[in-house]
Amino acid sequence: MKETVEIDYQHPSYRDQIRFYLVTVFITLVIVAGYFLGLPPYYLGWIAFATATFSVAGNDAVQTVGTFFESKKSIDWVPKLIVLGGLLFIVHLIGWYRDAGQIHFQRLDRFPETTHFNLIQLLAPVILVVITRMKAPVSTTFLVLGLFGGQNIDKMLTKSFLGYGIAFFAAIIIWAILAKLDPHEYEEDHLPDPVSERRWSNLQWLSTIYLWIAWLLQDTANIAVYLPRRLNWIELVIALGILVFALAVIIRTNGGTIQEVVSEKSDIKWAKAATIVDLVYGTILFVFQSLSNLPMSTTWVFLGLLAGREIILNILTYRDLPYLDTFRKVGKDVILASLGIAVSIGIYLLSTIIYPESNSQKFEFFKKDSPISLQ
C-alpha cells in the first residue's frame, strides 16, 4: 500500500512556491490587461473580489480559525467546511435580506460606492496575497479599504491601535487570573486530561462559531468593497460561492503559511486554550462593533491578545525560558504588522499621486487640526 505523505502547508517546497508565484503573475496580468483593454468596471470588480476573497480570507484566517485549525488537526477538513461554510452562507443571507441586498453589515456606510476602479485598487488583493505568503499578518482593512476612503484611515488607525491596547491588557488580566488559579495547566510540559480535553473540544466548536460570526460582521466589508452595494439573488449566490470555495482552500491547507503565527504560541494546540482565546477575541470584536460601524484592523486586536497572553504566561509560569524568546515572538508579529501598515499607507499615498481624482479626500492623520475620533 502506498504511504500517504502529509503536506506541510506552513513550509511549502520550492516547487510549490514557483507554482504559487506563477499563478499570482497570471492573475496580475489578467487584471492589468482587463484594465487597459477597457473591461467594464463591473467585471473588473468581480475579478478583484475573487482575488480579494482568497487574499483577505487567507490573511485573516490565522486570527479567526487559526486556533481552531491548530487544535483540530486530527479532524478531517470536510466537517469544518460544512460548519464554517454553512455559517458563512447563513450570516450573509440574513445580512443581505435585512439590509436590502447589501452584505457589508454597515461597515461601508462611510465609503462612497466605487463605480470606476483604478489599477492600484484592483491590484491591492494581489499584493496582499504575496505578503500573506511571506507570513506577515497584514491588516487587510488598511491595505484594501484605505484605497477606497483615505479620509477614514486616521479613524481606522485610532480604533485599531486602541483595539490592540485593550486586547493586550485584557489578555494580561484574564490569563494572569487563569494562571494563578491553576499554574500547572500552563506549564510547558503540561498534558491535559483526555476527558477534559474532549469536553473543551466540543465547546471549542461553539467558541469558533461565535468568533467566526464576529469576524464576518467586521471584515466582510474588506472584500465586498469591490462589488455593487446592492446585489440581486444571482449575484449573491455567485459571491457566496466564491467565498465558500476560498474558505474550502484555506481549511484544506490548514491555514497556509501564515498559520505559523498561531502555531508558535504557547499551548494553543489544546482545546481549552484555543476556546478561551476565541471567546475573549470574539467578545472584544463584538464590543467594538457596538461602538461604531467604522472598520478596524481585527489583525491588530488579535496580535494584541496573543502578545499579552504570551508575555503574562511567560512571566508567571515559564520562568526557565528566556524572556528574549517571548519578546522575539511578540516583537516579530508587531514589526511585521507595522510594516504592513507602512506598506498600506505607502500604497495609498502612491494612489493619491497617480490617481488624484480618485482620492479627493486625503489622509489627514498627522494634521494637528484634524480631530481623531471613532465616530
Side-chain angles (χ1 to χ4, degrees):
M1 181 180 293
K2 186 177 180 179
E3 184 179 355
T4 302
V5 179
E6 184 176 352
I7 301 175
D8 186 1
Y9 293 104
Q10 290 186 28
H11 305 90
S13 64
Y14 178 77
R15 180 177 297 180
D16 292 333
Q17 293 283 48
I18 294 296
R19 187 182 301 116
F20 167 80
Y21 285 108
L22 285 176
V23 173
T24 303
V25 170
F26 174 76
I27 294 173
T28 303
L29 292 176
V30 169
I31 293 175
V32 172
Y35 178 79
F36 285 108
L37 291 176
L39 190 67
Y42 177 82
Y43 299 106
L44 286 173
W46 275 98
I47 295 173
F49 168 80
T51 308
T53 297
F54 284 91
S55 59
V56 172
N59 188 282
D60 289 354
V62 65
Q63 56 180 286
T64 49
V65 288
T67 54
F68 181 74
F69 289 156
E70 198 62 26
S71 62
K72 293 288 188 293
K73 287 183 177 179
S74 61
I75 297 179
D76 188 65
W77 67 279
V78 176
K80 301 174 187 176
L81 177 62
I82 292 175
V83 173
L84 297 179
L87 195 62
L88 181 151
F89 192 93
I90 293 172
V91 169
H92 284 90
L93 183 62
I94 294 174
W96 176 80
Y97 179 79
R98 184 195 65 182
D99 297 331
Q102 301 182 78
I103 60 170
H104 57 81
F105 306 104
Q106 293 88 49
R107 297 294 170 227
L108 295 179
D109 287 350
R110 306 188 190 201
F111 295 77
E113 183 174 0
T114 304
T115 56
H116 291 84
F117 301 98
N118 64 52
L119 187 57
I120 295 180
Q121 290 171 334
L122 294 172
L123 291 178
V126 180
I127 297 172
L128 181 59
V129 165
V130 175
I131 296 177
T132 300
R133 189 72 172 186
M134 298 168 64
K135 306 181 182 180
V138 180
S139 169
T140 58
T141 300
F142 297 134
L143 184 56
V144 177
L145 284 188
L147 295 172
F148 292 88
Q151 74 277 13
N152 294 309
I153 294 184
D154 53 354
K155 297 175 182 178
M156 290 192 296
L157 279 170
T158 301
K159 189 176 181 182
S160 300
F161 292 153
L162 179 62
Y164 182 96
I166 290 178
F168 180 84
F169 288 109
I172 288 178
I173 295 173
I174 291 172
W175 273 278
I177 295 174
L178 293 174
K180 286 296 183 182
L181 291 176
D182 189 0
H184 299 294
E185 182 175 340
Y186 294 94
E187 292 177 351
E188 186 181 15
D189 57 351
H190 171 74
L191 292 176
D193 174 66
V195 176
S196 175
E197 181 69 6
R198 283 195 297 270
R199 187 183 302 115
W200 279 101
S201 181
N202 293 330
L203 290 174
Q204 192 192 359
W205 284 91
L206 299 178
S207 69
T208 300
I209 290 173
Y210 175 73
L211 174 57
W212 185 235
I213 294 175
W215 182 82
L216 290 174
L217 297 179
Q218 184 68 247
D219 274 15
T220 295
N222 299 349
I223 308 172
V225 70
Y226 289 103
L227 297 179
R229 288 297 162 87
R230 299 187 185 277
L231 305 176
N232 59 42
W233 69 269
I234 296 178
E235 293 170 328
L236 175 69
V237 171
I238 294 174
L240 293 183
I242 295 173
L243 285 169
V244 172
F245 178 72
L247 178 64
V249 173
I250 293 168
I251 294 176
R252 185 68 182 87
T253 59
N254 203 41
T257 58
I258 200 171
Q259 178 67 14
E260 186 177 341
V261 173
V262 173
S263 301
E264 66 180 9
K265 300 301 185 294
S266 305
D267 78 320
I268 210 72
K269 63 182 178 179
W270 304 122
K272 181 178 180 179
T275 300
I276 297 175
V277 167
D278 289 351
L279 288 175
V280 175
Y281 179 38
T283 300
I284 294 175
L285 290 186
F286 275 120
V287 169
F288 272 96
Q289 288 168 22
S290 66
L291 292 177
S292 76
N293 64 357
L294 183 73
M296 66 180 296
S297 171
T298 53
T299 299
W300 276 87
V301 176
F302 182 66
L303 293 179
L305 183 69
L306 288 187
R309 181 182 185 275
E310 194 75 10
I311 288 174
I312 193 63
L313 290 182
N314 182 281
I315 292 174
L316 295 181
T317 62
Y318 301 153
R319 301 186 184 279
D320 294 333
L321 290 180
Y323 288 103
L324 286 178
D325 184 61
T326 295
F327 285 102
R328 178 191 60 80
K329 295 177 184 178
V330 173
K332 183 182 71 172
D333 294 342
V334 173
I335 290 173
L336 289 175
S338 298
L339 288 175
I341 288 183
V343 170
S344 303
I345 294 177
I347 292 174
Y348 167 74
L349 293 177
L350 178 64
S351 177
T352 63
I353 296 173
I354 300 178
Y355 303 101
E357 70 284 354
S358 301
N359 299 277
S360 57
Q361 292 177 290
K362 299 296 190 295
F363 176 40
E364 299 181 343
F365 184 70
F366 297 108
K367 287 190 175 182
K368 294 183 178 179
D369 58 349
S370 178
I372 304 300
S373 69
L374 301 182
Q375 300 302 321

